[in-house]
């Protein structure tokens, strides 16, 4: 496996939780360090961008918001969404 393939495999699992993503990446021959970074950055990006995006889309059903954010950016975002809801 060349370097480009290793990096590709490392980023394939960015939408899983960190432990699962690292295990799958390692099993497929990827490097776990970029995998862990991409998973964490995906979660942080989702946490930062989810609430403003959902407000702009005028999504009012909080269950739908939490589900969409949780699927897209792991466990970091739903607690952030709850916090932002409590502040508004």
């Amino acid at each position: 496996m060349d370097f480009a393939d290793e990096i590709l495999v490392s980023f394939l699992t960015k939408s899983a939780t960190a432990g699962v993503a690292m295990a799958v990446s390692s099993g497929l021959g990827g490097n776990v360090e970029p995998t862990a970074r991409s998973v964490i950055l995906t979660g942080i990006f989702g946490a930062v961008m989810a609430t403003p995006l959902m407000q702009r889309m005028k999504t009012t059903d909080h269950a739908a918001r939490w589900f969409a954010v949780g699927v897209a950016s792991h466990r970091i975002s739903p607690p952030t969404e709850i916090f932002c809801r409590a502040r508004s």
Side-chain angles (χ1 to χ4, degrees):
M1 180 179 294
D2 65 352
F3 181 72
D5 290 339
E6 182 179 327
I7 295 299
L8 177 65
V9 169
S10 298
F11 288 115
L12 282 175
T13 58
K14 71 173 179 53
S15 293
T17 60
V20 171
M22 291 169 61
V24 170
S25 177
S26 177
L28 293 174
N31 187 342
V32 296
E33 291 178 17
T35 301
R37 287 186 190 115
S38 68
V39 169
I40 291 168
L41 289 175
T42 299
I44 291 171
F45 182 77
V48 170
M49 296 302 296
T51 299
L53 179 64
M54 293 291 182
Q55 289 171 343
R56 189 175 183 121
M57 293 172 50
K58 297 181 179 19
T59 306
T60 58
D61 184 359
H62 289 286
R65 289 171 72 150
W66 295 344
F67 178 76
V69 171
V71 167
S73 55
H74 329 299
R75 293 187 181 167
I76 296 172
S77 296
T80 305
E81 176 69 24
I82 294 168
F83 175 74
C84 290
R85 180 180 174 203
R87 290 181 46 205
S88 60

